[in-house]
């Protein structure tokens, strides 16, 4: 009984400790390190690895999600004779929820796991210690450009996902199901508001990009420098960041769309 | 060479992302840049709004010519007052124009439909529309129908 309690205490302490060191990591890598510390070409390279390489999976997934929303929405709305509202349904679903959330989940699987494995391997092969020996701060050199790349590319990817999805829905609705083109776009424009729907979705995706990248780089940085440790850290990244995205999504939705 | 192609694709990625956002703004949310300054405001008093919101359309013959900007309750008359802005292009609304709250489709959103009259002078800034027709409230309609049925039988 006492041992159980002790185990619980140890787990609690270690997770608080992890949270603290993750916050310190974030603070050190995002704080301004004086002139010359910002390395723009590193950021470009990470934007390529994190953003551009995720573009194809995001675009394809967005197109299919949009088409499925079109088909499923049609079967529901046609019962009420209001299939003209399909454009509204597809666009609001994508902009407010599915765009940011599905992009973040794919981003965690595609880019987050790669970040963790890369940084974990850097640690295992002692590249990070070598940098410290040479007087280069590995946080500024390795972590900072990756964090910024994640925060910048997530909203771009989410907007692209929603756009492709809305056009996928339009393809199904107009070309396959024969819904009037004017009704699809017109109803959408009448009910989607730029600030309330588009911008709030972008705010969500920025928050998700920050959380996913933060978890990914921390898991890599704190991983056990063995092959088993790197594998475990990569799994942890995907699991924790997916859960964090879904939990944070509820909080952000309640705050922004809660109707209070 | 390698570095150049990376920079090019990253630049293209950012441009595509921003283009998607602009597309969202213009095509999906129907945001228009030029709606400041070229409108004038008129008011109308209604018995019952029945779910008319701010930002609802104001249309004439089915063409949108303005938007509802403010909805409030007049505490002296206990009736609803609607302020709407109309584009300056439509500055020739006669002073006996009538306004009705209509519904788009059976369950659609509420909007205001204007119909011109025959007077010679036109509505100016902050003028009132005298002839108004309230929204149809389904419960009242059913209630009236049941009442007339009960009187018959």
């Amino acid at each position: 009984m006492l041992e159980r309690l002790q185990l619980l205490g140890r787990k609690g302490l270690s997770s608080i400790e992890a949270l603290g060191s993750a916050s310190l990591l974030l603070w050190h890598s995002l704080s301004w390190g004086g002139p010359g510390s910002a390395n723009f070409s590193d950021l470009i390279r990470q934007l390529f690895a994190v953003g551009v390489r995720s573009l194809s999976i995001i675009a394809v997934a967005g197109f299919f999600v949009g088409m499925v929303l079109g088909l499923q929405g049609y079967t529901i709305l046609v019962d009420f004779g209001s299939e003209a509202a399909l454009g509204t349904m597809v666009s609001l679903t994508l902009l407010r929820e599915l765009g940011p959330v599905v992009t973040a989940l794919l981003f965690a699987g595609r880019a987050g796991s790669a970040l963790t494995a890369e940084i974990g391997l850097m640690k295992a092969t002692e590249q990070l210690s070598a940098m410290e020996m040479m007087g280069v701060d590995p946080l500024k050199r390795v972590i900072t450009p990756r964090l910024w790349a994640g925060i910048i590319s997530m909203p771009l990817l989410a907007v692209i996902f929603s756009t492709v999805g809305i056009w996928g829905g339009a393809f199904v609705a107009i070309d396959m199901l024969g819904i009037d083109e004017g009704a699809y776009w017109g109803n959408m424009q009448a009910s989607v508001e730029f600030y309330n729907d588009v911008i709030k979705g972008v705010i969500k995706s920025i928050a998700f990009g920050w959380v996913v990248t933060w978890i990914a780089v921390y898991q890599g940085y704190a991983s056990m420098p063995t092959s088993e440790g790197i594998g475990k850290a990569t799994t942890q990244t995907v699991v924790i960041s997916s859960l964090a995205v879904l939990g944070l999504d509820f909080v952000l939705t309640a705050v922004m769309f809660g109707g209070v | 060479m390698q570095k150049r192609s990376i920079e090019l694709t990253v630049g293209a990625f950012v441009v595509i992302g921003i283009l998607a956002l602009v597309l969202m703004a213009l095509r999906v949310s129907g945001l228009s840049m030029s709606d400041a300054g070229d409108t004038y405001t008129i008011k109308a008093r209604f018995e019952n709004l029945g779910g008319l919101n701010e930002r609802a359309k104001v249309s004439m013959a089915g063409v949108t010519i303005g938007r509802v900007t403010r909805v409030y309750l007049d505490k002296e008359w206990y009736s609803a007052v609607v302020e709407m802005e109309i584009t300056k292009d439509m500055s020739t609304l006669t002073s006996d124009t009538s306004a009705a709250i209509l519904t788009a489709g059976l369950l659609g959103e509420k909007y205001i439909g204007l119909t011109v009259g025959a007077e010679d002078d036109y509505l100016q800034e902050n003028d009132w529309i005298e002839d108004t027709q309230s929204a149809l409230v389904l419960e009242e309609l059913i209630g009236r129908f049941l009442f007339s049925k009960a009187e018959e039988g």
Side-chain angles (χ1 to χ4, degrees):
Chain A
M1 186 63 203
L2 272 178
E3 276 135 29
R4 290 253 171 102
L5 202 62
Q6 192 188 358
L7 189 73
L8 189 71
R10 196 191 300 151
K11 287 240 164 148
L13 278 177
S14 71
S15 51
I16 289 171
E17 201 186 317
L19 194 65
S21 56
S23 306
L24 277 178
L25 173 103
L26 188 73
W27 172 252
H28 278 298
S29 27
L30 292 189
S31 62
W32 176 245
S37 67
N39 194 333
F40 194 66
S41 70
D42 265 357
L43 178 66
I44 297 286
R45 203 169 301 131
Q46 290 310 319
L47 273 175
F48 181 77
V50 168
V52 177
R53 294 243 164 128
S54 310
L55 197 56
S56 52
I57 184 178
I58 295 292
V60 172
F63 194 67
F64 280 112
V65 168
M67 289 202 295
V68 168
L69 276 177
L71 282 174
Q72 293 282 20
Y74 180 77
T75 57
I76 296 171
L77 291 174
V78 79
D79 288 346
F80 302 102
S82 50
E83 63 268 23
L86 189 64
T88 309
M89 201 208 89
V90 169
S91 59
L92 285 184
T93 317
L94 279 168
L95 285 172
R96 290 184 175 181
E97 279 303 319
L98 286 185
V101 172
V102 176
T103 309
L105 294 179
L106 290 172
F107 187 75
R110 167 65 188 73
S113 56
L115 281 179
T116 307
E118 191 189 7
I119 295 171
L121 201 67
M122 277 185 182
K123 194 181 177 189
T125 52
E126 298 189 333
Q127 290 180 47
L128 295 182
S129 336
M131 275 183 194
E132 248 172 296
M133 290 289 202
M134 292 188 292
V136 177
D137 186 352
L139 286 180
K140 293 264 183 254
R141 177 81 199 182
V142 175
I143 306 289
T144 309
R146 284 169 174 77
L147 267 174
W148 279 118
I151 296 172
I152 293 170
S153 43
M154 242 311 282
L156 294 174
L157 289 172
V159 170
I160 292 171
F161 184 97
S162 303
T163 312
V164 173
I166 288 171
W167 258 264
F171 169 69
V172 166
I174 297 165
D175 296 329
M176 284 172 59
L177 301 171
I179 291 173
D180 180 51
E181 190 176 353
Y184 185 86
W185 294 110
N187 282 340
M188 187 188 295
Q189 284 174 4
S191 46
V192 175
E193 287 175 35
F194 184 67
Y195 172 70
N196 267 332
D197 301 315
V198 181
I199 293 298
K200 281 181 178 174
V202 170
I203 292 173
K204 264 190 183 180
S205 60
I206 292 174
F208 295 160
W210 167 66
V211 164
V212 169
T213 331
W214 182 23
I215 290 171
V217 293
Y218 174 72
Q219 287 292 338
Y221 199 73
S223 65
M224 296 265 276
T226 58
S227 48
E228 195 197 345
I230 294 173
K232 206 174 151 196
T234 313
T235 313
Q236 286 281 75
T237 295
V238 177
V239 172
I240 296 177
S241 50
S242 303
L243 288 177
V245 163
L246 294 173
L248 190 65
D249 182 46
F250 173 73
V251 175
L252 285 177
T253 306
V255 170
M256 293 196 296
F257 299 106
V260 190
Chain B
M1 200 57 216
Q2 177 66 21
K3 197 177 170 200
R4 193 177 134 80
S5 70
I6 286 182
E7 282 171 356
L8 273 177
T9 43
V10 170
F13 169 57
V14 174
V15 167
I16 290 173
I18 291 169
L19 265 182
L21 192 66
V22 172
L23 213 61
M24 284 291 172
L26 298 180
R27 185 77 207 249
V28 176
S29 67
L31 193 76
S32 60
M33 303 296 177
S34 58
D35 54 358
D38 49 0
T39 58
Y40 66 104
T41 305
I42 52 176
K43 297 180 196 171
R45 191 186 297 281
F46 290 95
E47 287 287 311
N48 194 333
L49 293 181
L52 184 85
N53 290 321
E54 287 173 14
R55 282 183 56 83
K57 281 189 286 191
V58 178
S59 69
M60 172 171 281
V63 180
T64 303
I65 57 168
R67 284 200 181 274
V68 173
T69 49
R70 192 164 160 239
V71 167
Y72 62 94
L73 186 73
D74 185 342
K75 292 208 181 73
E76 215 173 308
W77 291 79
Y78 298 102
S79 62
V81 175
V82 172
E83 286 183 12
M84 51 197 128
E85 54 181 23
I86 310 290
T87 58
K88 271 269 155 65
D89 297 343
M90 280 304 302
S91 58
T92 52
L93 294 174
T94 57
S95 58
D96 58 345
T97 295
S98 66
I101 297 181
L102 306 170
T103 312
L106 194 58
L107 299 166
E109 57 189 302
K110 294 273 192 289
Y111 67 98
I112 292 184
L114 298 181
T115 315
V116 285
E119 290 281 330
D120 285 336
D121 48 343
Y122 300 128
L123 285 171
Q124 304 298 323
E125 174 87 25
N126 283 326
D127 275 358
W128 289 85
I129 294 180
E130 303 292 342
D131 182 11
T132 63
Q133 184 191 325
S134 288
L136 275 182
V137 178
L138 208 57
E139 288 86 338
E140 279 179 12
L141 217 62
I142 294 170
R144 219 177 294 158
F145 174 73
L146 288 179
F147 193 69
S148 67
K149 275 284 164 200
E151 271 186 344
E152 276 174 27

